[in-house]
Protein backbone atom coordinates (compact mmCIF):
# COMPACT_ATOMS: atom_id res chain seq x y z
CA UNK A 1 0.00 0.00 0.00
CA UNK A 2 2.69 2.50 0.99
CA UNK A 3 5.89 2.71 -0.98
CA UNK A 4 9.11 4.14 0.37
CA UNK A 5 10.67 7.24 -1.11
CA UNK A 6 13.77 9.16 -0.06
CA UNK A 7 12.90 12.74 0.85
CA UNK A 8 15.11 15.79 0.29
CA UNK A 9 16.18 15.56 3.93
CA UNK A 10 17.47 12.02 3.42
CA UNK A 11 14.75 10.31 5.47
CA UNK A 12 12.58 7.54 4.09
CA UNK A 13 8.91 8.48 4.00
CA UNK A 14 5.86 6.45 3.11
CA UNK A 15 4.25 7.63 -0.12
CA UNK A 16 0.52 7.86 -0.42
CA UNK A 17 -1.51 7.02 -3.49
CA UNK A 18 -4.61 8.90 -4.65
CA UNK A 19 -6.94 6.73 -2.54
CA UNK A 20 -4.94 7.34 0.64
CA UNK A 21 -4.92 11.09 0.00
CA UNK A 22 -8.65 11.03 -0.72
CA UNK A 23 -9.30 9.14 2.52
CA UNK A 24 -7.27 11.66 4.51
CA UNK A 25 -9.11 14.55 2.86
CA UNK A 26 -12.54 13.09 3.52
CA UNK A 27 -11.74 12.24 7.14
CA UNK A 28 -10.45 15.76 7.75
CA UNK A 29 -13.77 17.10 6.52
CA UNK A 30 -15.89 14.63 8.50
CA UNK A 31 -14.31 12.00 10.72
CA UNK A 32 -17.75 10.63 11.59
CA UNK A 33 -18.28 9.13 8.14
CA UNK A 34 -19.14 5.47 8.22
CA UNK A 35 -16.73 3.21 6.40
CA UNK A 36 -19.38 2.62 3.71
CA UNK A 37 -19.84 6.39 3.18
CA UNK A 38 -16.08 6.95 3.10
CA UNK A 39 -15.55 4.10 0.64
CA UNK A 40 -18.22 5.49 -1.68
CA UNK A 41 -16.72 8.99 -1.57
CA UNK A 42 -13.20 7.81 -2.41
CA UNK A 43 -14.19 5.23 -5.00
CA UNK A 44 -13.33 2.01 -3.18
CA UNK A 45 -15.34 -0.89 -1.86
CA UNK A 46 -15.79 -1.10 1.92
CA UNK A 47 -13.18 -3.75 2.81
CA UNK A 48 -10.19 -2.16 1.00
CA UNK A 49 -11.19 1.25 2.35
CA UNK A 50 -11.29 -0.08 5.91
CA UNK A 51 -7.85 -1.71 5.45
CA UNK A 52 -6.41 1.55 4.13
CA UNK A 53 -7.79 3.55 7.05
CA UNK A 54 -6.27 1.06 9.51
CA UNK A 55 -2.94 1.20 7.64
CA UNK A 56 -3.00 5.02 7.73
CA UNK A 57 -3.64 4.88 11.48
CA UNK A 58 -0.89 2.33 12.10
CA UNK A 59 1.61 4.27 9.98
CA UNK A 60 0.91 7.40 12.04
CA UNK A 61 -0.73 9.49 9.31
CA UNK A 62 -3.99 9.56 11.30
CA UNK A 63 -3.23 10.50 14.89
CA UNK A 64 -6.75 10.31 16.30
CA UNK A 65 -10.34 11.43 16.04
CA UNK A 66 -11.92 14.16 18.14
CA UNK A 67 -14.84 16.54 18.27
CA UNK A 68 -14.13 20.19 17.51
CA UNK A 69 -15.83 22.19 20.27
CA UNK A 70 -16.70 25.89 20.09
CA UNK A 71 -14.73 27.31 23.02
CA UNK A 72 -17.06 30.30 23.38
CA UNK A 73 -20.13 28.07 23.79
CA UNK A 74 -18.49 26.35 26.74
CA UNK A 75 -17.57 29.64 28.40
CA UNK A 76 -13.98 30.12 27.22
CA UNK A 77 -14.28 33.56 25.64
CA UNK A 78 -10.61 34.53 25.78
CA UNK A 79 -7.91 33.12 23.51
CA UNK A 80 -4.44 34.39 24.34
CA UNK A 81 -1.14 33.91 22.54
CA UNK A 82 1.59 33.79 25.16
CA UNK A 83 5.30 33.86 24.38
CA UNK A 84 7.42 32.55 27.22
CA UNK A 85 11.10 33.36 27.36
CA UNK A 86 13.22 30.83 29.21
CA UNK A 87 15.96 31.90 31.56
CA UNK A 88 18.22 29.12 30.26
CA UNK A 89 17.75 26.93 27.17
CA UNK A 90 19.59 23.85 28.37
CA UNK A 91 18.30 20.31 28.02
CA UNK A 92 17.14 19.50 31.53
CA UNK A 93 15.43 22.77 32.38
CA UNK A 94 13.81 23.02 28.94
CA UNK A 95 12.43 19.48 29.29
CA UNK A 96 11.09 20.32 32.76
CA UNK A 97 9.37 23.39 31.33
CA UNK A 98 7.93 21.37 28.43
CA UNK A 99 6.54 18.72 30.79
CA UNK A 100 5.00 21.35 33.08
CA UNK A 101 3.32 23.04 30.08
CA UNK A 102 1.92 19.69 28.87
CA UNK A 103 0.12 19.27 32.20
CA UNK A 104 -1.85 22.56 31.97
CA UNK A 105 -5.33 22.05 30.45
CA UNK A 106 -5.76 25.75 29.65
CA UNK A 107 -2.77 25.55 27.29
CA UNK A 108 -4.36 24.14 24.14
CA UNK A 109 -1.26 24.43 21.96
CA UNK A 110 2.44 24.96 22.58
CA UNK A 111 5.28 25.35 20.10
CA UNK A 112 9.00 25.61 20.62
CA UNK A 113 9.83 28.65 18.45
CA UNK A 114 12.74 30.34 16.74
CA UNK A 115 13.53 34.02 17.10
CA UNK A 116 12.59 35.93 20.21
CA UNK A 117 11.21 33.72 22.95
CA UNK A 118 11.34 30.03 23.61
CA UNK A 119 7.72 28.83 23.60
CA UNK A 120 4.54 30.14 21.98
CA UNK A 121 1.39 29.01 23.77
CA UNK A 122 -2.29 29.27 22.95
CA UNK A 123 -4.21 29.65 26.19
CA UNK A 124 -7.96 29.72 26.75
CA UNK A 125 -9.75 31.37 29.68
CA UNK A 126 -13.27 32.40 30.68
CA UNK A 127 -12.51 36.13 30.66
CA UNK A 128 -9.66 38.63 31.06
CA UNK A 129 -9.80 38.50 34.86
CA UNK A 130 -9.48 34.71 34.93
CA UNK A 131 -6.67 34.85 32.36
CA UNK A 132 -4.84 37.43 34.45
CA UNK A 133 -5.14 35.26 37.56
CA UNK A 134 -4.02 32.18 35.60
CA UNK A 135 -1.00 34.02 34.18
CA UNK A 136 0.10 35.21 37.63
CA UNK A 137 -0.58 31.93 39.44
CA UNK A 138 0.46 29.38 36.82
CA UNK A 139 2.41 30.68 33.83
CA UNK A 140 4.82 32.93 35.70
CA UNK A 141 5.55 30.07 38.11
CA UNK A 142 6.55 27.56 35.45
CA UNK A 143 10.13 26.35 35.82
CA UNK A 144 12.73 28.56 34.12
CA UNK A 145 10.39 31.39 32.98
CA UNK A 146 12.27 34.65 32.53
CA UNK A 147 9.61 36.76 30.79
CA UNK A 148 6.11 36.53 29.35
CA UNK A 149 4.49 38.46 26.49
CA UNK A 150 0.77 38.13 25.75
CA UNK A 151 -1.44 39.04 22.79
CA UNK A 152 -5.18 38.45 22.73
CA UNK A 153 -7.27 37.23 19.83
CA UNK A 154 -9.77 39.86 18.76
CA UNK A 155 -11.54 37.42 16.44
CA UNK A 156 -10.84 34.20 14.59
CA UNK A 157 -10.46 34.33 10.83
CA UNK A 158 -9.61 30.63 10.49
CA UNK A 159 -9.16 27.99 13.16
CA UNK A 160 -8.99 24.21 13.30
CA UNK A 161 -8.50 23.98 9.57
CA UNK A 162 -7.71 20.84 7.66
CA UNK A 163 -4.16 20.32 6.46
CA UNK A 164 -3.54 20.90 2.75
CA UNK A 165 -3.00 17.66 0.85
CA UNK A 166 -2.52 18.85 -2.75
CA UNK A 167 1.27 18.54 -2.48
CA UNK A 168 0.80 14.79 -2.08
CA UNK A 169 -0.38 14.50 -5.66
CA UNK A 170 -3.76 13.04 -4.87
CA UNK A 171 -5.77 16.21 -5.36
CA UNK A 172 -7.31 18.50 -2.78
Amino acid sequence: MFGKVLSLTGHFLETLDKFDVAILGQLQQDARLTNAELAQRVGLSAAPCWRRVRALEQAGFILGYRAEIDRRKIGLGVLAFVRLDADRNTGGVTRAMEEAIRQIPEVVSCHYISGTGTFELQVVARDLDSFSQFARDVLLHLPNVKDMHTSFSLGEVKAGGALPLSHLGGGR
Side-chain angles (χ1 to χ4, degrees), residues 26-42:
Q26 290 297 318
L27 289 176
Q28 281 192 123
Q29 290 177 24
D30 184 359
R32 293 184 64 176
L33 290 171
T34 66
N35 184 60
E37 292 169 326
L38 179 60
Q40 181 181 19
R41 290 187 185 188
V42 301

PDB file of all heavy atoms in Angstrom, residues 26-42:
ATOM      1  N   GLN A  26     -11.156  13.299   3.083  1.00  0.00           N
ATOM      2  CA  GLN A  26     -12.536  13.091   3.522  1.00  0.00           C
ATOM      3  C   GLN A  26     -12.637  13.019   5.049  1.00  0.00           C
ATOM      4  O   GLN A  26     -13.564  13.588   5.641  1.00  0.00           O
ATOM      5  CB  GLN A  26     -13.119  11.817   2.896  1.00  0.00           C
ATOM      6  CG  GLN A  26     -13.381  11.925   1.415  1.00  0.00           C
ATOM      7  CD  GLN A  26     -14.426  12.969   1.078  1.00  0.00           C
ATOM      8  OE1 GLN A  26     -15.446  13.082   1.745  1.00  0.00           O
ATOM      9  NE2 GLN A  26     -14.157  13.755   0.047  1.00  0.00           N
ATOM     10  N   LEU A  27     -11.700  12.342   5.686  1.00  0.00           N
ATOM     11  CA  LEU A  27     -11.744  12.236   7.143  1.00  0.00           C
ATOM     12  C   LEU A  27     -11.455  13.570   7.821  1.00  0.00           C
ATOM     13  O   LEU A  27     -11.976  13.834   8.908  1.00  0.00           O
ATOM     14  CB  LEU A  27     -10.778  11.155   7.642  1.00  0.00           C
ATOM     15  CG  LEU A  27     -11.209   9.720   7.339  1.00  0.00           C
ATOM     16  CD1 LEU A  27     -10.131   8.739   7.777  1.00  0.00           C
ATOM     17  CD2 LEU A  27     -12.549   9.397   7.983  1.00  0.00           C
ATOM     18  N   GLN A  28     -10.661  14.421   7.190  1.00  0.00           N
ATOM     19  CA  GLN A  28     -10.455  15.758   7.750  1.00  0.00           C
ATOM     20  C   GLN A  28     -11.740  16.576   7.691  1.00  0.00           C
ATOM     21  O   GLN A  28     -12.005  17.375   8.574  1.00  0.00           O
ATOM     22  CB  GLN A  28      -9.346  16.510   7.000  1.00  0.00           C
ATOM     23  CG  GLN A  28      -7.960  16.101   7.396  1.00  0.00           C
ATOM     24  CD  GLN A  28      -6.921  17.050   6.852  1.00  0.00           C
ATOM     25  OE1 GLN A  28      -6.164  17.600   7.628  1.00  0.00           O
ATOM     26  NE2 GLN A  28      -6.876  17.263   5.552  1.00  0.00           N
ATOM     27  N   GLN A  29     -12.516  16.375   6.645  1.00  0.00           N
ATOM     28  CA  GLN A  29     -13.774  17.103   6.517  1.00  0.00           C
ATOM     29  C   GLN A  29     -14.824  16.572   7.483  1.00  0.00           C
ATOM     30  O   GLN A  29     -15.612  17.339   8.045  1.00  0.00           O
ATOM     31  CB  GLN A  29     -14.306  17.016   5.086  1.00  0.00           C
ATOM     32  CG  GLN A  29     -13.488  17.798   4.093  1.00  0.00           C
ATOM     33  CD  GLN A  29     -14.009  17.612   2.673  1.00  0.00           C
ATOM     34  OE1 GLN A  29     -15.166  17.288   2.454  1.00  0.00           O
ATOM     35  NE2 GLN A  29     -13.132  17.796   1.709  1.00  0.00           N
ATOM     36  N   ASP A  30     -14.873  15.234   7.643  1.00  0.00           N
ATOM     37  CA  ASP A  30     -15.890  14.634   8.503  1.00  0.00           C
ATOM     38  C   ASP A  30     -15.398  13.282   8.989  1.00  0.00           C
ATOM     39  O   ASP A  30     -15.532  12.277   8.297  1.00  0.00           O
ATOM     40  CB  ASP A  30     -17.213  14.477   7.743  1.00  0.00           C
ATOM     41  CG  ASP A  30     -18.336  13.950   8.613  1.00  0.00           C
ATOM     42  OD1 ASP A  30     -18.103  13.670   9.817  1.00  0.00           O
ATOM     43  OD2 ASP A  30     -19.461  13.810   8.101  1.00  0.00           O
ATOM     44  N   ALA A  31     -14.853  13.240  10.171  1.00  0.00           N
ATOM     45  CA  ALA A  31     -14.309  12.001  10.721  1.00  0.00           C
ATOM     46  C   ALA A  31     -15.400  11.048  11.199  1.00  0.00           C
ATOM     47  O   ALA A  31     -15.111   9.925  11.587  1.00  0.00           O
ATOM     48  CB  ALA A  31     -13.352  12.304  11.871  1.00  0.00           C
ATOM     49  N   ARG A  32     -16.645  11.485  11.154  1.00  0.00           N
ATOM     50  CA  ARG A  32     -17.752  10.632  11.589  1.00  0.00           C
ATOM     51  C   ARG A  32     -18.356   9.824  10.446  1.00  0.00           C
ATOM     52  O   ARG A  32     -19.334   9.100  10.641  1.00  0.00           O
ATOM     53  CB  ARG A  32     -18.836  11.489  12.240  1.00  0.00           C
ATOM     54  CG  ARG A  32     -18.347  12.109  13.559  1.00  0.00           C
ATOM     55  CD  ARG A  32     -19.434  12.856  14.234  1.00  0.00           C
ATOM     56  NE  ARG A  32     -20.496  11.913  14.610  1.00  0.00           N
ATOM     57  CZ  ARG A  32     -21.567  12.244  15.284  1.00  0.00           C
ATOM     58  NH1 ARG A  32     -21.749  13.481  15.652  1.00  0.00           N
ATOM     59  NH2 ARG A  32     -22.475  11.339  15.582  1.00  0.00           N
ATOM     60  N   LEU A  33     -17.779   9.930   9.260  1.00  0.00           N
ATOM     61  CA  LEU A  33     -18.282   9.135   8.138  1.00  0.00           C
ATOM     62  C   LEU A  33     -18.223   7.649   8.487  1.00  0.00           C
ATOM     63  O   LEU A  33     -17.253   7.194   9.097  1.00  0.00           O
ATOM     64  CB  LEU A  33     -17.420   9.357   6.889  1.00  0.00           C
ATOM     65  CG  LEU A  33     -17.499  10.703   6.195  1.00  0.00           C
ATOM     66  CD1 LEU A  33     -16.423  10.804   5.126  1.00  0.00           C
ATOM     67  CD2 LEU A  33     -18.877  10.902   5.592  1.00  0.00           C
ATOM     68  N   THR A  34     -19.235   6.920   8.088  1.00  0.00           N
ATOM     69  CA  THR A  34     -19.144   5.468   8.217  1.00  0.00           C
ATOM     70  C   THR A  34     -18.140   4.972   7.186  1.00  0.00           C
ATOM     71  O   THR A  34     -17.835   5.669   6.207  1.00  0.00           O
ATOM     72  CB  THR A  34     -20.502   4.789   7.967  1.00  0.00           C
ATOM     73  OG1 THR A  34     -20.864   4.983   6.589  1.00  0.00           O
ATOM     74  CG2 THR A  34     -21.584   5.338   8.893  1.00  0.00           C
ATOM     75  N   ASN A  35     -17.653   3.773   7.370  1.00  0.00           N
ATOM     76  CA  ASN A  35     -16.726   3.207   6.400  1.00  0.00           C
ATOM     77  C   ASN A  35     -17.383   3.095   5.031  1.00  0.00           C
ATOM     78  O   ASN A  35     -16.744   3.359   4.008  1.00  0.00           O
ATOM     79  CB  ASN A  35     -16.212   1.840   6.858  1.00  0.00           C
ATOM     80  CG  ASN A  35     -15.178   1.302   5.904  1.00  0.00           C
ATOM     81  OD1 ASN A  35     -14.142   1.909   5.678  1.00  0.00           O
ATOM     82  ND2 ASN A  35     -15.473   0.161   5.303  1.00  0.00           N
ATOM     83  N   ALA A  36     -18.673   2.738   4.995  1.00  0.00           N
ATOM     84  CA  ALA A  36     -19.381   2.622   3.710  1.00  0.00           C
ATOM     85  C   ALA A  36     -19.463   3.977   3.008  1.00  0.00           C
ATOM     86  O   ALA A  36     -19.249   4.083   1.797  1.00  0.00           O
ATOM     87  CB  ALA A  36     -20.789   2.053   3.927  1.00  0.00           C
ATOM     88  N   GLU A  37     -19.770   5.043   3.776  1.00  0.00           N
ATOM     89  CA  GLU A  37     -19.840   6.387   3.182  1.00  0.00           C
ATOM     90  C   GLU A  37     -18.469   6.825   2.687  1.00  0.00           C
ATOM     91  O   GLU A  37     -18.342   7.383   1.589  1.00  0.00           O
ATOM     92  CB  GLU A  37     -20.360   7.402   4.211  1.00  0.00           C
ATOM     93  CG  GLU A  37     -21.804   7.215   4.595  1.00  0.00           C
ATOM     94  CD  GLU A  37     -22.191   8.058   5.799  1.00  0.00           C
ATOM     95  OE1 GLU A  37     -21.354   8.275   6.713  1.00  0.00           O
ATOM     96  OE2 GLU A  37     -23.357   8.489   5.837  1.00  0.00           O
ATOM     97  N   LEU A  38     -17.444   6.585   3.486  1.00  0.00           N
ATOM     98  CA  LEU A  38     -16.080   6.948   3.105  1.00  0.00           C
ATOM     99  C   LEU A  38     -15.666   6.202   1.840  1.00  0.00           C
ATOM    100  O   LEU A  38     -15.132   6.805   0.902  1.00  0.00           O
ATOM    101  CB  LEU A  38     -15.111   6.642   4.253  1.00  0.00           C
ATOM    102  CG  LEU A  38     -13.641   6.933   4.009  1.00  0.00           C
ATOM    103  CD1 LEU A  38     -13.408   8.402   3.701  1.00  0.00           C
ATOM    104  CD2 LEU A  38     -12.821   6.490   5.224  1.00  0.00           C
ATOM    105  N   ALA A  39     -15.919   4.910   1.813  1.00  0.00           N
ATOM    106  CA  ALA A  39     -15.554   4.097   0.645  1.00  0.00           C
ATOM    107  C   ALA A  39     -16.223   4.623  -0.616  1.00  0.00           C
ATOM    108  O   ALA A  39     -15.580   4.748  -1.669  1.00  0.00           O
ATOM    109  CB  ALA A  39     -15.940   2.635   0.892  1.00  0.00           C
ATOM    110  N   GLN A  40     -17.497   4.966  -0.512  1.00  0.00           N
ATOM    111  CA  GLN A  40     -18.220   5.489  -1.681  1.00  0.00           C
ATOM    112  C   GLN A  40     -17.613   6.802  -2.150  1.00  0.00           C
ATOM    113  O   GLN A  40     -17.419   7.019  -3.349  1.00  0.00           O
ATOM    114  CB  GLN A  40     -19.696   5.682  -1.342  1.00  0.00           C
ATOM    115  CG  GLN A  40     -20.500   6.205  -2.503  1.00  0.00           C
ATOM    116  CD  GLN A  40     -21.963   6.421  -2.132  1.00  0.00           C
ATOM    117  OE1 GLN A  40     -22.313   6.510  -0.955  1.00  0.00           O
ATOM    118  NE2 GLN A  40     -22.815   6.517  -3.139  1.00  0.00           N
ATOM    119  N   ARG A  41     -17.270   7.679  -1.211  1.00  0.00           N
ATOM    120  CA  ARG A  41     -16.723   8.990  -1.572  1.00  0.00           C
ATOM    121  C   ARG A  41     -15.356   8.901  -2.238  1.00  0.00           C
ATOM    122  O   ARG A  41     -15.012   9.756  -3.047  1.00  0.00           O
ATOM    123  CB  ARG A  41     -16.652   9.892  -0.343  1.00  0.00           C
ATOM    124  CG  ARG A  41     -18.009  10.324   0.141  1.00  0.00           C
ATOM    125  CD  ARG A  41     -17.878  11.337   1.240  1.00  0.00           C
ATOM    126  NE  ARG A  41     -19.177  11.673   1.798  1.00  0.00           N
ATOM    127  CZ  ARG A  41     -19.383  12.636   2.665  1.00  0.00           C
ATOM    128  NH1 ARG A  41     -18.356  13.377   3.084  1.00  0.00           N
ATOM    129  NH2 ARG A  41     -20.578  12.881   3.122  1.00  0.00           N
ATOM    130  N   VAL A  42     -14.554   7.901  -1.853  1.00  0.00           N
ATOM    131  CA  VAL A  42     -13.197   7.810  -2.414  1.00  0.00           C
ATOM    132  C   VAL A  42     -13.095   6.814  -3.560  1.00  0.00           C
ATOM    133  O   VAL A  42     -12.032   6.662  -4.150  1.00  0.00           O
ATOM    134  CB  VAL A  42     -12.144   7.494  -1.326  1.00  0.00           C
ATOM    135  CG1 VAL A  42     -12.139   8.558  -0.237  1.00  0.00           C
ATOM    136  CG2 VAL A  42     -12.340   6.106  -0.736  1.00  0.00           C
TER     137      VAL A  42
END
